[in-house]
Amino acid sequence: VEELMALSVDTECEIVSPLRRRVDVGNAGRLRLHSDDLYALTLIRLHGSVPFCYTSVFLPPRIGELVSDVTDLTVAGRRSRVTVIGLIDARMRGAIVAAEQSITAASAPSFAAARLPCEPGQPVLRIDRQYCDEGGHPVELAVSYFDPEHYSYRVRLRRSPTAPAAQPHGAFGAGPLTAKTLAAQGRPGSSRSR
């Protein structure tokens, strides 16, 4: 989770649609809310002057209220080096302890392609991340579209140090494996540049 909060080290975000409260049945359900109200914003992330990611962020009302006075999230066109999750972590009581992530190939939706150097329908990388607090309650849902011309995602997997010695098991004849993410951080600019 620390790597995701540190994304601001070498990138900037620019607010497309400022943080505001709205009704969103689908994303309120994904956040496991008891009502359909939430806070939402959209932003692009840039490396240098190149936009490589379009993100829609959805927050439970209690979390949205914590950051509703942050100018870096409430002014369209505002650029900064913040991450929404970093701001939340600094202001909330308790800690963000986990993130669930799903990654898939997708066709660039027109709203994302309009802000990225790609065409609508072009293949992009879609990453959905849901961050949770110590009680397992979602504090942020981020749905991002990454231009693969300017972004790659690399994960290192290793065997758990507590795994027993290799014994014939499963299709590959190895002992049980567990995946640990050691460096699961996407890197802008690590693909070829235009």
Side-chain angles (χ1 to χ4, degrees):
V1 174
E2 284 80 10
E3 290 90 357
L4 297 173
M5 286 194 269
L7 189 61
S8 63
V9 170
D10 60 354
T11 68
E12 281 187 301
C13 77
E14 180 180 310
I15 300 301
V16 174
S17 300
L19 181 68
R20 64 183 168 83
R21 195 169 187 141
R22 71 178 208 198
V23 171
D24 184 328
V25 175
N27 288 305
R30 291 184 71 186
L31 288 167
R32 301 191 306 259
L33 300 176
H34 297 293
S35 78
D36 297 330
D37 290 329
L38 51 69
Y39 278 79
L41 71 131
T42 58
L43 58 92
I44 56 172
R45 194 152 287 281
L46 303 101
H47 184 255
S49 61
V50 179
F52 67 92
C53 174
Y54 178 97
T55 301
S56 298
V57 176
F58 306 97
L59 308 172
R62 67 183 175 86
I63 301 298
E65 289 162 9
L66 289 177
V67 295
S68 64
D69 64 338
V70 177
T71 310
D72 289 336
L73 304 181
T74 59
V75 176
R78 175 81 174 218
R79 280 196 186 187
S80 68
R81 293 198 172 269
V82 303
T83 60
V84 178
I85 198 64
L87 290 169
I88 292 168
D89 193 53
R91 290 179 169 221
M92 67 181 269
R93 180 173 287 156
I96 296 166
V97 298
E100 279 190 26
Q101 171 172 274
S102 64
I103 302 172
T104 188
S107 297
S110 57
F111 58 84
R115 300 287 181 156
L116 297 173
C118 65
E119 297 297 321
Q122 179 179 324
V124 293
L125 191 62
R126 176 178 165 159
I127 301 180
D128 291 20
R129 292 182 179 125
Q130 183 167 284
Y131 299 88
C132 295
D133 64 16
E134 298 157 320
H137 307 288
V139 297
E140 178 186 322
L141 170 64
V143 179
S144 300
Y145 297 92
F146 291 87
D147 180 356
E149 293 289 322
H150 300 283
Y151 184 86
S152 67
Y153 190 87
R154 182 177 290 201
V155 176
R156 181 180 305 198
L157 304 174
R158 69 179 177 111
R159 186 181 297 267
S160 172
T162 60
Q167 300 169 353
H169 177 74
F172 301 106
L177 293 176
T178 57
K180 290 207 176 194
T181 303
L182 299 179
Q185 180 179 2
R187 283 292 190 204
S190 56
S191 290
R192 62 182 186 260
S193 297
R194 290 183 186 202

